[in-house]
Amino acid sequence: MNSDSSNANVAQSELVESTLASRSAKVSDFSLFFSKFVAKGRQISSAVPSSPSMVDAVLQCVDFSRPATIVELGAGTGPITGQIIEHLRPHHRFVAVENDRDFCGILRRRFPEVTLLESDATRLADPLAKLGIHKVDYVLSGLPTPSLPPRSLLRLMHWLRDCLTPNGLFVQITVVPVLYLNFYRRLFDQVDYSSVWLNVPPGGVYQCSQPRKSFRRRR
Ligand SMILES: C[S@@+](CC[C@H](N)C(=O)[O-])C[C@H]1O[C@@H](n2cnc3c(N)ncnc32)[C@H](O)[C@@H]1O
């Protein structure tokens, strides 16, 4: 065998190994996610991690050509985190937040370069201030926001009012198409919704800006 064909064989077996490794990582993400969903229900809110089409829909909301501070809430196993990292440039600051210990373990192993807060996403003012972050341009949320306890939702909204820049955006994924449009309209002055039919299950993305000073909590 000449050296060209032996190099090709090595490259091919590396490709097969990495494809198998990424498939087995996906399978284990799905099974962990599903077991968390069974155990925690509405605190997880989806039985499976976001699909590539949901991730694309979220990333389309972010203008990566401009300097920005981006905070991801409820990063889970990191399908959105991984793609954000691919787009980051030196003029960006990025922090991921997740409160589930097992998901945090996965995120740390998978993305050691990411600043990860293992924390309640509705109590972020202090941990972010310790990182020198007082204003945020994009909050990308996978949180089960409509299912948050009223006090947690109130804290989240207070924080958003304080920390979102005037043109800042709160981007919320959902796996229940459009159902919560009025819920988000009560929380924000400006709300746009776009469907992501190719997600499993079909879902969408709310783009919200200008958090309201006061709001009614009813859904
Ligand atoms: C629907 S999953 C989204 C996961 C991931 N972003 C994705 O798109 O696949 C919701 C995530 O929010 C996390 N979460 C729920 N409540 C939270 C809270 N108060 N603080 C931080 N993370 C929270 C859950 O542990 C879960 O990982």
Side-chain angles (χ1 to χ4, degrees):
M1 200 190 304
N2 66 28
S3 73
D4 277 357
S5 66
S6 109
N7 284 345
N9 281 346
V10 170
Q12 196 175 9
S13 66
E14 280 174 0
L15 184 67
V16 170
E17 259 173 43
S18 85
T19 309
L20 287 177
S22 102
R23 276 202 194 138
S24 93
K26 249 185 208 156
V27 170
S28 79
D29 280 10
F30 271 72
S31 60
L32 176 64
F33 216 94
F34 189 72
S35 67
K36 291 280 175 191
F37 178 66
V38 171
K40 295 182 163 186
R42 291 169 85 176
Q43 289 172 43
I44 300 287
S45 92
S46 169
V48 289
S50 287
S51 67
S53 24
M54 181 69 88
V55 175
D56 282 351
V58 172
L59 290 203
Q60 273 169 24
C61 302
V62 181
D63 179 358
F64 285 97
S65 69
R66 293 170 179 271
T69 298
I70 303 166
V71 175
E72 183 191 6
L73 309 182
T77 53
I80 299 173
T81 322
Q83 285 307 304
I84 292 173
I85 295 171
E86 296 290 318
H87 287 75
L88 289 180
R89 301 203 207 154
H91 59 220
H92 295 123
R93 186 96 198 258
F94 174 58
V95 177
V97 184
E98 172 57 56
N99 70 350
D100 182 276
R101 179 175 291 186
D102 297 325
F103 286 156
C104 284
I106 291 179
L107 292 165
R108 281 195 195 95
R109 270 200 307 280
R110 216 165 261 173
F111 313 114
E113 70 276 42
V114 166
T115 304
L116 173 68
L117 293 176
E118 183 172 341
S119 160
D120 179 354
T122 71
R123 296 177 188 273
L124 281 185
D126 287 345
L128 285 178
K130 281 189 188 138
L131 295 171
I133 296 175
H134 302 280
K135 289 286 167 193
V136 178
D137 301 284
Y138 294 98
V139 175
L140 309 180
S141 171
L143 296 179
T145 304
S147 306
L148 287 174
R151 276 168 182 272
S152 303
L153 179 61
L154 209 56
R155 275 198 307 271
L156 177 69
M157 292 310 298
H158 278 306
W159 172 67
L160 287 171
R161 277 208 304 272
D162 288 346
C163 83
L164 262 191
T165 54
N167 294 322
L169 215 50
F170 174 80
V171 178
Q172 173 69 51
I173 62 171
T174 183
V175 289
V176 197
V178 93
L179 182 72
Y180 292 112
L181 187 57
N182 283 337
F183 169 81
Y184 290 107
R185 283 195 173 143
R186 275 193 281 277
L187 304 180
F188 296 88
D189 276 343
Q190 245 340 98
V191 180
D192 289 318
Y193 173 78
S194 43
S195 296
V196 183
W197 295 115
L198 290 180
N199 191 63
V200 182
V205 169
Y206 294 97
Q207 281 189 58
C208 312
S209 53
Q210 295 155 31
R212 288 187 192 275
K213 288 213 165 59
S214 62
F215 56 88
R216 285 169 295 137
R217 267 171 264 152
R218 187 171 51 84
R219 269 177 219 166

Short mmCIF file of all heavy atoms in Angstrom, two decimals, residues 1 21 72 100:
data_model
loop_
_atom_site.label_atom_id
_atom_site.label_comp_id
_atom_site.label_asym_id
_atom_site.label_seq_id
_atom_site.Cartn_x
_atom_site.Cartn_y
_atom_site.Cartn_z
N MET A 1 0.85 -1.20 0.00
CA MET A 1 0.00 0.00 0.00
C MET A 1 0.89 1.26 0.00
O MET A 1 1.85 1.33 0.78
CB MET A 1 -0.86 0.00 1.25
CG MET A 1 -2.05 0.88 1.09
SD MET A 1 -2.93 1.12 2.66
CE MET A 1 -3.28 -0.53 3.19
N ALA A 21 -18.91 8.88 17.07
CA ALA A 21 -18.86 9.54 18.38
C ALA A 21 -19.95 10.60 18.46
O ALA A 21 -20.64 10.71 19.48
CB ALA A 21 -17.49 10.18 18.59
N GLU A 72 -27.13 33.22 27.26
CA GLU A 72 -28.07 32.14 26.94
C GLU A 72 -28.62 31.55 28.24
O GLU A 72 -27.86 31.15 29.12
CB GLU A 72 -27.37 31.03 26.14
CG GLU A 72 -28.36 29.95 25.72
CD GLU A 72 -27.72 28.69 25.16
OE1 GLU A 72 -26.47 28.57 25.18
OE2 GLU A 72 -28.48 27.80 24.73
N ASP A 100 -29.29 22.88 35.90
CA ASP A 100 -29.27 21.43 36.13
C ASP A 100 -27.82 20.94 36.16
O ASP A 100 -27.07 21.17 35.20
CB ASP A 100 -30.05 20.72 35.02
CG ASP A 100 -30.10 19.22 35.23
OD1 ASP A 100 -29.13 18.53 34.84
OD2 ASP A 100 -31.08 18.74 35.83
#
